[in-house]
Amino acid sequence: MHLHVCWIGLVFVSIPISGVQILLNTTNRKMVRGLFNKLASKSLKVAGKWQQQQLRRLNIHEYQGAELMGKFGINVPKGVAVSSVEEVRKAIQTTFPNEKELVVKSQILAGGRGLGKFTSGLQGGVHIVKAEQAEEIAGKMLGQTLVTKQTGPQGKVVRKVYLCEKMSLVNEMYFAITLDRTTAGPLIIACREGGTSIEDLAEKFPDMIIKVPIDVFKGITDEDAAKVVDGLAPTVADRSASIEQVKKLYNLFRESDCTQLEINPIAETSDNKLVAADAKLNFDDNAAYRQKEIFALRDPTQEDPREVAAAKADLNYIGLDGEIGCMVNGAGLAMATMDIIKLHGGTPANFLDVGGNASEGQVVEAFKILTSDEKVKAILVNIFGGIMKCDVIASGIVNAAKHVALKVPVVVRLEGTNVDQGKRILKESGMALITAEDLDDAAEKAVKALKS
């Protein structure tokens, strides 16, 4: 798994990223490799083992992506998603009555399925089997946990499998569209070889990767699409039809508010067509209000349940693997709090920004999320009241104690608007809280409470 090591103050956060992002950085790798290696060796010691994937954009399943691409006129294999053995049997009879072989793909929101392994012992999350064996292999996948290089050791439960026709592929290539900060617009990435680890290919043969920036005001032109097709270098697919497929893929990217569209492989078939044999699509969360149909596809069972609960409460939460739960107002202060916890020898269990105008109810929900994490052994509340009022936070903490059995020590540092009222509310509550004068004092006491 390739990791993007983000500098957050003193803390390095490792986040799994896609082949697209790796490709964007390939040309700069050699220049920064020496410096990066030095930083990475230090960051691994600092970051420890807490590593989670931060969800900033909607990710949908392969079968959902294929269905969406089909609506835009993009060539995709015939397929159907099923969630039970009975549905597999019915799909074979109705959708694939004449197919001799089928592709059975486990559906989880993580890459590396083909090389993954089920906790039951079954090797591989993608199998090409005879039609009469599809029911058996699907039964071994459904309801089981698949572990891949991107899921972490806990894996993800397979609740659906995607049955696809086995196509006769002549050539496999790579295609992606992403947002590029350098060109301030969409960037199409293509390679004449695909179906394998595109990151390794880009490392060894960077000249094989072509990048075509698209003018966001003009949209994709025939010339742009032709450059992409030349980069794919199809051997049998019709050139004009391939150019039209590239344009349709860009239209999907633009009209659906995608942040990433990755097809590996995009392939040529024996009947001279360019086909999207795989589908990985991400969408901008900020576009949820105008992409309601797409965002209705979200599968919360594949996401961190803590982050799902936080989103419902309109809280900014990112789960980590540390032991000190954090509740802070303001992203910058939240990151500084994580830094100082690390500085004093602790590990933050989360990033949680309640925002500048949180209600008592949101504070209560924040506590519920923090206390639901079994790894949390102490909680640090760090509030600097500007727009956020300290008395609101204090009332929320007291109400949270009534709803949640607080079994771990809670360290509270309040400063700013209505701080005296906030401290009075906490004092009169009779709660066994540990108060702190400043951030450094709060972090030190949280770590000490953790070890006591």
Side-chain angles (χ1 to χ4, degrees), residues 41-237:
S41 63
K42 295 179 182 179
S43 70
L44 290 175
K45 295 177 183 177
V46 176
K49 63 182 181 179
W50 48 279
Q51 175 187 315
Q52 289 285 341
Q53 183 168 5
Q54 179 181 343
L55 294 177
R56 291 174 182 249
R57 68 279 183 275
L58 172 66
N59 187 9
I60 63 175
H61 288 287
E62 177 190 4
Y63 76 90
Q64 296 168 326
E67 183 178 351
L68 182 60
M69 286 194 290
K71 292 179 180 179
F72 279 79
I74 299 159
N75 298 329
V76 294
K78 180 171 62 176
V80 59
V82 294
S83 55
S84 68
V85 173
E86 291 73 21
E87 290 181 7
V88 174
R89 189 181 305 119
K90 183 179 179 181
I92 293 174
Q93 294 172 351
T94 58
T95 309
F96 307 105
N98 301 316
E99 298 290 339
K100 293 182 179 180
E101 289 185 299
L102 293 173
V103 184
V104 184
K105 298 183 175 185
S106 55
Q107 297 295 285
I108 60 171
L109 295 181
R113 291 171 297 160
L115 298 177
K117 185 176 181 179
F118 286 88
T119 54
S120 62
L122 177 65
Q123 185 67 46
V126 178
H127 288 258
I128 299 175
V129 298
K130 293 180 179 179
E132 58 268 23
Q133 297 174 324
E135 186 177 332
E136 178 186 358
I137 195 71
K140 292 180 179 179
M141 293 180 177
L142 288 166
Q144 300 298 315
T145 301
L146 177 61
V147 180
T148 78
K149 62 182 181 179
Q150 289 189 13
T151 63
Q154 72 278 6
K156 289 183 179 291
V157 177
V158 176
R159 304 185 187 279
K160 284 183 180 289
V161 297
Y162 190 34
L163 303 180
C164 297
E165 63 176 318
K166 181 182 178 297
M167 306 188 76
S168 178
L169 304 182
V170 176
N171 187 27
E172 296 185 356
M173 301 153 289
Y174 176 89
F175 177 92
I177 310 177
T178 189
L179 295 173
D180 181 33
R181 291 183 180 181
T182 303
T183 59
L187 182 73
I188 300 181
I189 303 171
C191 180
R192 63 178 180 270
E193 291 190 17
T196 183
S197 177
I198 192 66
E199 300 94 332
D200 295 338
L201 193 65
E203 178 77 33
K204 296 176 182 177
F205 308 105
D207 293 340
M208 293 178 64
I209 309 297
I210 70 110
K211 300 172 185 177
V212 181
I214 306 299
D215 188 316
V216 71
F217 298 105
K218 294 180 180 178
I220 190 167
T221 65
D222 288 339
E223 183 181 359
D224 293 332
K227 288 180 182 178
V228 175
V229 172
D230 289 342
L232 293 172
T235 56
V236 299

Side-chain angles (χ1 to χ4, degrees), residues 4 21 59 107 111 150 219 248 281 290 293 332 337 366 387 447:
H4 178 49
Q21 293 162 302
N59 187 9
Q107 297 295 285
Q150 289 189 13
K248 288 177 180 178
L281 291 90
R290 66 183 181 194
E293 186 176 340
T337 302
I387 299 174
V447 174

